[in-house]
Amino acid sequence: MIKREDVVTWLTCYRQVLKDNKDYLTELDSAIGDADHGANMDRGFNAVVAKLPSVEDKDIGTILKTTGMTLVSTVGGAGGPLYGTFFMRAGMAIDGKAELTPDDLAVAFDAGVAGVQQRGKATPGEKTMLDSLTPACAALHESLDGGADLKVSLDAAAAAAEQGMKDTIPMLATKGRASYLGERSIGHQDPGATSSFLLIQCAADCLGKE
Ligand code: ADP
Ligand code: MG
């Protein structure tokens, strides 16, 4: 079972990973965007971690919904509302639960990804965060359905997210700011796909124990 302390640890760990990767994400966004993705994510998750003490004794749905609302209210641009939607929808899907089974987590991730897709009107293959999130969800389901435990399944999800992130390099961006570059977006790794891989990697590190 995944407990709320594990979820708090996941979000706190992600804040640290974003801090460590702030310059890297900014560098990626300077090639095909406006060089703010590192700062955006860092600011957003600092605000999330500051909010956690007020919700850490609530159910996991509330923790995730609060995370999403905090991101929407503290991060501008495309990334903030999209990550905000991911966490709000994930939280709504498991509303009221104080613990999650591995399948609950997969359901929450699916709902989050569906929310991103709806809000941003992108599909996989357009060089966005969906290119790491979508294969990660597929791998998580496949592994859990095959009978693997949560740790193994989240490791598989993180490996799929990493591959998905790398697969954005040759893609032509057709959504978001990078799409303004047209063909010049080709040859660069998408910043949002990179921060999404890091999110799933943190989940594997922090949630992957049963
Ligand atoms: P902005 O583009 O407004 O500067 P960020 O730099 O924080 O916002 O985030 C950029 C990332 O957002 C991109 O790398 C991409 O992964 C993601 N993104 C942009 N538009 C969309 C969309 N329509 N759907 C999904 N993800 C998107
Ligand atoms: Mg940007």
Side-chain angles (χ1 to χ4, degrees):
M1 283 296 218
I2 297 163
K3 304 201 182 319
R4 55 184 150 225
E5 303 88 85
D6 303 327
V7 173
V8 167
T9 303
W10 171 41
L11 297 169
T12 308
C13 156
Y14 188 45
R15 189 267 297 257
Q16 185 58 47
V17 167
L18 287 171
K19 202 173 292 305
D20 296 343
N21 286 277
K22 188 175 165 186
D23 293 345
Y24 172 50
L25 293 172
T26 292
E27 202 180 298
L28 293 174
D29 197 31
S30 69
I32 55 169
D34 56 354
D36 65 354
H37 192 59
N40 286 348
M41 296 300 287
D42 185 53
R43 181 170 66 254
F45 276 84
N46 276 331
V48 166
V49 169
K51 268 271 166 63
L52 285 175
S54 67
V55 289
E56 66 190 4
D57 58 343
K58 302 274 196 322
D59 65 279
I60 295 173
T62 299
I63 296 173
L64 295 182
K65 283 187 290 179
T66 303
T67 296
M69 288 184 293
T70 304
L71 292 174
V72 170
S73 65
T74 54
V75 189
L82 289 166
Y83 272 102
T85 301
F86 175 83
F87 283 101
M88 286 192 288
R89 293 295 188 86
M92 281 155 67
I94 45 121
D95 213 13
K97 289 185 195 271
E99 314 189 305
L100 304 182
T101 64
D103 285 332
D104 289 335
L105 184 70
V107 165
F109 280 3
D110 279 351
V113 171
V116 171
Q117 208 156 353
Q118 229 171 42
R119 169 124 199 185
K121 310 229 171 349
T123 50
E126 296 195 273
K127 200 178 183 97
T128 71
M129 55 200 281
L130 289 172
D131 290 307
S132 47
L133 290 176
T134 308
C137 286
L140 182 60
H141 276 288
E142 194 184 333
S143 181
L144 290 174
D145 291 350
D149 71 12
L150 182 60
K151 173 67 185 153
V152 167
S153 300
L154 280 172
D155 283 343
E162 184 171 22
Q163 186 59 53
M165 169 189 88
K166 290 179 179 160
D167 289 345
T168 63
I169 296 172
M171 285 179 190
L172 173 74
T174 48
K175 286 285 184 309
R177 218 176 269 285
S179 67
Y180 307 158
L181 292 180
E183 303 275 324
R184 281 184 293 135
S185 66
I186 293 173
H188 302 280
Q189 184 172 302
D190 181 62
T194 307
S195 55
S196 288
F197 154 64
L198 295 172
L199 179 69
I200 304 297
Q201 180 65 61
C202 285
D205 293 340
C206 301
L207 304 176
K209 42 189 163 60
E210 268 176 299

